[in-house]
């Protein structure tokens, strides 16, 4: 697939918007404990939506998952479980700090760890900083982190200036001390989603081999990663249901009123169907952030690790704007408003810089064989007559220049054409025996 960084940036922006607004339907849930509606929405986020969408977009989905490398499946699931801890704590972050401050603090840690650790561990970072396009991308990452710091400072300033009554009106359970600790923990653990995608690359490649489009190749990876997240969340939510005695939320249609003016409180109706529908909507919106993230990653090209920064920046941008819409910034000083606007400008600028860096890298990356005109596509099999080897071109590794690639060399009992052809062996209808091994070579030199 030919990279298209501008489209990739747009897809990440849509994913960020979905992430910023997913919590809104939860506000319509009535008479349910947090753990009840979080788990109900999570079933749609982590199980229902991933399986339905992947089944529609990926041919032979079950075959892909059944034949995927066990190591890739394990680490994708493992990092998904760790990310699940961060995911459930993000709900608590919003609960204690609100959208603006909670999102900025949690995603600041998440952006730094999720963007930089994968290329460091893989050894890719050293090569990135040696190219102009790579330096531009890393500069964009730095600009994004700077924008997150500004947004965080604006959020802190806002919380200091807002009257206590305004805080409670906008965020019913506001607690700065609890929120800071939860946001820090949430950001670090949430970065594991990025590691899960990195560990699942063999699964994505297998999906393409089985006929999936490059655009949808990450959907099977999402199934595994989100299954890990579901495991963590269901254990935690069931534990809270047990402790708080809220298992009845899932079935009860009424509960006693807690109005203090009624000495003998009557029962109030619980909108059970509406609660399920709003929770399902919230869960589906939440899943869509990674649906678009997975598509955006396929369009970024050589430096696809920068996708995580774009995703985080988009979430903060739309999360801040949503905070303004919900009056979370009401009553703050002009200085704080100025800091908030500056943070938005810096974050938006970072997406432009990262997109431009990936665009520069696009010019130095060769198109895939499927993107070449028919006359330019490499021949499927060639024979090196001088050495009696059958050469099978394989897909280039991401980031290799044109003319450089990986080939499979099969040492076969094919006789060289010179000086004279050898007589055909007995049983000439059979394939010659071959010893397959992979080597590095330069194609076309």
């Amino acid at each position: 697939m030919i990279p298209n960084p501008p489209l990739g940036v747009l897809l990440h922006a849509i994913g960020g918007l979905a992430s910023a607004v997913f919590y809104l339907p939860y506000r319509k849930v009535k008479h349910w404990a947090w753990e009840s509606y979080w788990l109900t929405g999570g079933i749609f986020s982590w199980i229902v939506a991933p399986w339905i969408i992947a089944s529609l977009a990926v041919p032979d989905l079950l075959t892909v998952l059944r034949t995927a490398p066990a190591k890739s499946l394990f680490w994708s699931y493992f990092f998904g479980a760790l990310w699940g801890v961060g995911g459930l704590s993000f709900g608590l972050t919003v609960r204690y700090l609100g959208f603006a401050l909670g999102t900025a603090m949690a995603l600041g840690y998440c952006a730094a760890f999720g963007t930089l650790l994968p290329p460091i561990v893989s050894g890719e970072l050293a090569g990135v900083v040696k190219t102009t396009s790579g330096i531009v991308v890393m500069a964009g990452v730095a600009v994004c982190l700077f924008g997150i710091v500004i947004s965080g400072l604006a959020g802190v300033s806002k919380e200091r200036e807002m009257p206590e009554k305004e805080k409670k009106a906008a965020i019913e359970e506001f607690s700065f001390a609890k929120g800071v600790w939860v946001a820090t923990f949430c950001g670090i653990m949430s970065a594991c989603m990025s590691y899960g995608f990195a560990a699942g690359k063999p699964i994505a490649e297998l999906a393409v081999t089985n006929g999936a489009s490059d655009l949808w190749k990450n959907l099977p990876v999402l199934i595994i990663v989100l299954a890990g997240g579901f495991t963590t969340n269901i254990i935690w939510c069931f534990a809270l249901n047990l402790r708080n005695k809220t298992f009845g939320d899932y079935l009860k249609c009424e509960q006693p009123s807690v109005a203090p003016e009624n000495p003998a409180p009557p029962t109030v109706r619980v909108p059970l169907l509406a609660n399920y529908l709003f929770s399902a909507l919230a869960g589906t919106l939440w899943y869509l952030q990674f649906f678009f993230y997975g598509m955006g990653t396929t369009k970024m090209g050589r430096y696809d690790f920068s996708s995580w920064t774009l995703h985080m920046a988009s979430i903060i941008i739309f999360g801040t704007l949503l905070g303004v819409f919900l009056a979370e910034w009401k009553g703050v000083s002009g200085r704080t408003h100025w800091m908030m606007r500056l943070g938005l400008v810096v974050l938006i600028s970072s997406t432009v810089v990262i997109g431009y860096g990936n665009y520069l890298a696009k010019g130095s990356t060769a198109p895939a064989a499927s993107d070449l005109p028919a006359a330019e596509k490499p021949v499927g099999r060639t024979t090196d007559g001088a050495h009696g080897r059958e050469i099978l071109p394989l897909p280039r590794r991401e980031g290799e220049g044109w003319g450089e690639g990986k080939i499979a060399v099969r040492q076969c009992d094919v006789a060289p054409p010179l000086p004279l052809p050898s007589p055909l062996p007995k049983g000439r209808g059979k394939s010659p025996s071959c010893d397959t091994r992979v080597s590095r070579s330069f194609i076309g030199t």
Side-chain angles (χ1 to χ4, degrees), residues 1 4 63 88 115 179 194 198 207 214 223 236 268 278 286 310 341 345 385 388 404:
M1 175 179 289
N4 189 343
T63 301
L88 63 88
T115 301
S194 176
D214 280 285
I223 288 178
W236 176 249
V268 295
F278 282 121
W286 186 95
L310 291 172
R341 296 188 187 100
V345 171
E404 185 178 345

Side-chain angles (χ1 to χ4, degrees), residues 200-378:
K201 284 187 176 181
I203 304 174
E205 293 170 0
L206 187 60
V208 174
T209 302
N210 280 21
S213 166
D214 280 285
L215 193 63
W216 313 119
K217 67 181 183 181
N218 286 317
L219 295 181
V221 182
L222 262 180
I223 288 178
I224 305 302
V225 175
L226 294 180
F230 175 73
T231 303
T232 306
N233 278 264
I234 193 173
I235 292 173
W236 176 249
C237 290
F238 273 176
L240 290 179
N241 281 142
L242 183 63
R243 187 189 71 180
N244 300 330
K245 300 179 180 179
T246 53
F247 271 114
D249 287 350
Y250 304 110
L251 296 175
K252 68 182 181 183
C253 296
E254 59 182 26
Q255 69 177 19
S257 172
V258 294
E261 63 274 9
N262 295 331
T267 58
V268 295
R269 178 179 172 273
V270 177
L272 195 62
L273 178 59
N275 284 354
Y276 275 108
L277 291 176
F278 282 121
S279 296
L281 176 59
T284 304
L285 285 173
W286 186 95
Y287 168 76
L288 288 178
Q289 66 169 313
F290 289 114
F291 173 75
F292 287 104
Y293 171 82
M295 290 194 294
T297 300
T298 66
K299 293 295 184 179
M300 296 310 296
R302 184 174 182 179
Y303 305 125
D304 57 355
F305 68 88
S306 61
S307 291
W308 193 249
T309 299
L310 291 172
H311 186 60
M312 296 298 104
S314 299
I315 293 174
I316 297 174
I317 290 169
F318 288 109
T320 301
L321 294 175
L322 183 61
V324 173
F325 176 77
L326 296 175
E328 292 186 5
W329 296 84
K330 182 180 178 181
V332 301
S333 67
R335 173 180 173 275
T336 301
H337 271 288
W338 180 86
M339 291 178 62
M340 180 264 290
R341 296 188 187 100
L342 177 62
L344 288 176
V345 171
V346 174
L347 287 170
I348 294 172
S349 300
S350 74
T351 65
V352 175
V353 175
I354 293 173
Y356 180 65
N358 280 276
Y359 177 79
L360 292 177
K362 174 185 174 183
S364 62
T365 303
S370 60
D371 297 318
L372 291 173
E376 299 181 26
K377 290 183 179 179

